Amino acid sequence: MDQQIMKKHLAAALGYSYTRMALNYYMYFEGRADEKDSSQWEKSFAPAFQKILGSLLSGEGDLPGLENLRQKAMKEMEIITAYTDCFQVYEHVLNRLEQRFVPDSEKKALPEDKVLTREIMGFLAGCKDSAMVNERIQMIMEQLPIRFTKNKFFSMVQSGLSIYQGSPKSSLDAMMYVLRTESMLQLPENMGEGHEELDRILSMLRETDYKSLEKEEFKRLLDGLVLASGALLDASGELMHHMDLINDLYVLHLAGKDGVMEAKERQNLRGILSAIWEKLEEKDYSIPEDQVEEMLIQLEGQQERYYERWLRCDPAAFEEFSTGPSGEVYHRLRMVSLLLSGSSFVELEEKEEDKTEITGEVLEREEQKLFHDLSQMWAGMPKVVVRAIMARMLSNLPVCFNSLPEVEDYIESSLGSCTDPDEKMVSVELIREIMVELDEMV
């Protein structure tokens, strides 16, 4: 009986992924028709995906090849995310230099530090949810001026990481990964391959002398940053679409064996996929409008119907069957649930978490390694870039304040220590934008 119920859930997943993939595959086809220049990633994705889908349509399938393609997509997203992290650091830098090139007559008057501090504290105190208050504090900390010595900053990091003492090692490892990627310490190998324009812009930003920056050079850097942001947005959108296709094709491989569908419905869906597959193989991007309409009508309402059925599934309820005669079916159901979880780039294989309890000695050792690596990277790096990295790291650390009065002291001290009115004005404006945006969301 347990196997039959699990197979019923697999059937719902099969129907949902079949219909969603048919629609997304048609959208992919349309995109290829309008595309003038394919990205390096698309050039490697297209033939691999076509080969695997063709194998499935012929009645065979290629799960190892599909897993390999999925891993490549995950690696590509890691690179896109790394570039995004790097450019966000330099966006922080350029934001704080922008006022330098604004005529004095156009600059707004700065509020007094105490006035702005009260304004921010009112914003924080107005939120009753403690988790949301902490999130707001992190967002404010990222925008406040940074004027720390290296040792003071390291002390704040230690304070934020102190909550991990006594926790499983895996939780500290996850936080260290975030801090290292946000600070540009940990970047994927060969991330410039296939991303030469992004690499060129990043090198330009890295090699700039920000202390003697002139207006024309600032504009050139800003233009480069805008260009990179647009390219990353396009690349991540393309990759998300590709990963949806990969994940649904993965579900077809996993659930196709036991997932029961009406023969006519399955035939219609295979017909849609086959028709588009053949067009892409022939590089013929013309499909008569009446044929398109006929295909889309066949999909109407099906995706929602299957998804409602799938939502009734709770794989955790079948965990007791993970071993024994039903173990293989349970394993496939668990993987399908991950593929349809909404986290497109989730790992499918369970990794054993390191549950070793973090001692004070282990925590200190990990901290000192982080501080050593940061010190080495910061040697010779422009101060404005170091400050941007500090701000981004602080915004990702657990909040290290014990009370709102401590937060208030920190905010006022941060504002008071900044003697650059241009930088302070940018910080004020960005903080106010955050406050307005979050207030409107409540």
Side-chain angles (χ1 to χ4, degrees):
M1 180 62 70
D2 51 275
Q3 278 204 35
Q4 291 305 313
I5 295 173
M6 286 192 283
K7 288 179 180 180
K8 186 177 179 181
H9 290 316
L10 285 172
L14 178 67
Y16 174 66
S17 284
Y18 237 136
T19 53
R20 187 172 75 158
M21 184 179 167
L23 182 60
N24 282 341
Y25 195 41
Y26 175 71
M27 291 171 64
Y28 172 73
F29 169 80
E30 280 194 318
R32 291 296 304 276
D34 297 334
E35 208 169 65
K36 294 182 174 61
D37 297 310
S38 297
S39 65
Q40 287 297 112
W41 162 251
E42 167 63 29
K43 288 175 183 176
S44 66
F45 167 79
F49 185 81
Q50 284 290 103
K51 181 180 178 182
I52 297 165
L53 177 56
S55 175
L56 184 76
L57 292 172
S58 67
E60 297 174 10
D62 181 9
L63 197 55
L66 186 56
E67 173 59 24
N68 183 51
L69 180 60
R70 191 172 191 275
Q71 288 299 319
K72 287 180 178 178
M74 292 177 74
K75 180 68 175 177
E76 181 69 9
M77 183 53 85
E78 183 186 357
I79 290 172
I80 296 301
T81 302
Y83 271 114
T84 301
D85 290 338
C86 291
F87 286 123
Q88 284 177 342
V89 168
Y90 288 101
E91 181 183 19
H92 189 284
V93 171
L94 295 184
N95 277 342
R96 275 138 190 84
L97 296 176
E98 189 174 9
Q99 285 285 313
R100 185 190 295 182
F101 307 106
V102 174
D104 290 341
S105 59
E106 297 178 16
K107 292 178 181 178
K108 300 176 184 177
L110 266 171
E112 292 183 9
D113 295 343
K114 286 185 178 296
V115 172
L116 182 60
T117 301
R118 283 198 300 270
E119 188 179 333
I120 296 172
M121 292 307 299
F123 165 71
L124 295 175
C127 183
K128 304 305 179 186
D129 183 272
S130 58
M132 194 173 291
V133 170
N134 286 340
E135 186 178 335
R136 289 184 172 195
I137 290 172
Q138 289 175 313
M139 295 174 75
I140 296 297
M141 286 180 72
E142 184 177 1
Q143 303 305 337
L144 284 167
I146 297 287
R147 289 296 185 276
F148 302 132
T149 63
K150 186 169 64 176
N151 289 337
K152 171 63 176 173
F153 173 72
F154 289 164
S155 175
M156 292 185 70
V157 173
Q158 284 178 314
S159 181
L161 292 176
S162 64
I163 68 165
Y164 289 98
Q165 187 166 334
S167 299
K169 178 72 162 50
S170 57
S171 61
L172 177 63
D173 290 343
M175 175 50 68
M176 284 297 184
Y177 175 79
V178 170
L179 295 178
R180 286 179 170 275
T181 52
E182 288 285 347
S183 64
M184 303 192 296
L185 266 179
Q186 187 169 319
L187 298 174
E189 292 182 7
N190 306 317
M191 62 186 279
E193 292 181 9
H195 302 282
E196 286 73 14
E197 182 62 8
L198 290 174
D199 202 54
R200 181 191 69 78
I201 296 170
L202 184 55
S203 296
M204 178 177 69
L205 289 161
R206 280 174 171 159
E207 294 162 8
T208 295
D209 178 4
Y210 291 97
K211 189 177 288 187
S212 58
L213 190 65
E214 297 294 335
K215 186 174 182 178
E216 285 305 310
E217 178 67 3
F218 173 80
K219 188 177 182 307
R220 188 168 74 93
L221 295 176
L222 201 58
D223 289 343
L225 195 60
V226 170
L227 183 65
S229 297
L232 287 169
L233 189 64
D234 290 344
S236 60
E238 175 183 68
L239 201 50
M240 288 291 290
H241 190 194
H242 289 174
M243 197 54 142
D244 282 344
L245 288 169
I246 291 171
N247 286 345
D248 282 330
L249 185 53
Y250 216 123
V251 172
L252 266 57
H253 276 75
L254 293 173
K257 176 182 175 183
D258 297 308
V260 178
M261 292 180 67
E262 290 184 14
K264 184 178 180 182
E265 192 171 9
R266 186 188 286 249
Q267 186 179 350
N268 286 340
L269 289 166
R270 285 179 66 87
I272 293 171
L273 294 177
S274 296
I276 299 170
W277 183 87
E278 289 174 5
K279 288 285 185 179
L280 286 169
E281 286 293 291
E282 297 165 2
K283 293 183 171 51
D284 175 7
Y285 301 109
S286 60
I287 296 182
E289 284 189 19
D290 57 340
Q291 188 179 347
V292 172
E293 188 176 349
E294 183 183 343
M295 286 193 300
L296 296 180
I297 287 173
Q298 292 177 38
L299 301 178
E300 203 169 277
Q302 289 187 13
Q303 185 174 323
E304 293 79 6
R305 177 164 52 88
Y306 280 116
Y307 188 60
E308 284 178 10
R309 292 183 193 174
W310 168 249
L311 285 178
R312 299 171 196 156
C313 173
D314 178 14
F318 302 97
E319 199 166 344
E320 62 182 288
F321 304 112
S322 59
T323 57
S326 302
E328 189 270 339
V329 180
Y330 167 78
H331 178 67
R332 284 190 285 117
L333 181 64
R334 186 194 67 81
M335 291 181 72
V336 165
S337 71
L338 291 172
L339 290 162
L340 299 182
S341 66
S343 300
S344 301
F345 294 83
V346 67
E347 289 281 0
L348 299 182
E349 292 301 324
E350 290 182 294
K351 293 182 179 178
E352 191 171 341
E353 292 187 356
D354 188 344
K355 296 181 180 178
T356 308
E357 186 176 302
I358 295 292
T359 63
E361 292 77 15
V362 170
L363 181 58
E364 184 178 1
R365 185 167 65 245
E366 293 293 324
E367 289 169 346
Q368 293 308 314
K369 186 175 186 306
L370 174 67
F371 298 157
H372 173 267
D373 293 346
L374 285 170
S375 296
Q376 283 198 320
M377 183 178 71
W378 288 347
M381 184 177 275
K383 283 185 179 179
V384 288
V385 180
V386 173
R387 289 169 184 163
I389 291 171
M390 286 180 174
R392 290 192 60 75
M393 289 180 69
L394 287 176
S395 73
N396 283 279
L397 275 170
V399 172
C400 55
F401 303 107
N402 296 314
S403 65
L404 283 179
E406 282 190 24
V407 177
E408 185 173 4
D409 289 343
Y410 174 83
I411 293 171
E412 191 167 347
S413 173
S414 178
L415 292 168
S417 64
C418 180
T419 57
D420 183 342
D422 290 336
E423 180 183 349
K424 188 185 288 190
M425 175 53 72
V426 171
S427 295
V428 169
E429 290 182 345
L430 290 171
I431 289 170
R432 282 177 168 167
E433 284 178 13
I434 290 171
M435 293 193 294
V436 169
E437 183 178 339
L438 291 181
D439 278 340
E440 288 176 349
M441 290 172 62
V442 174

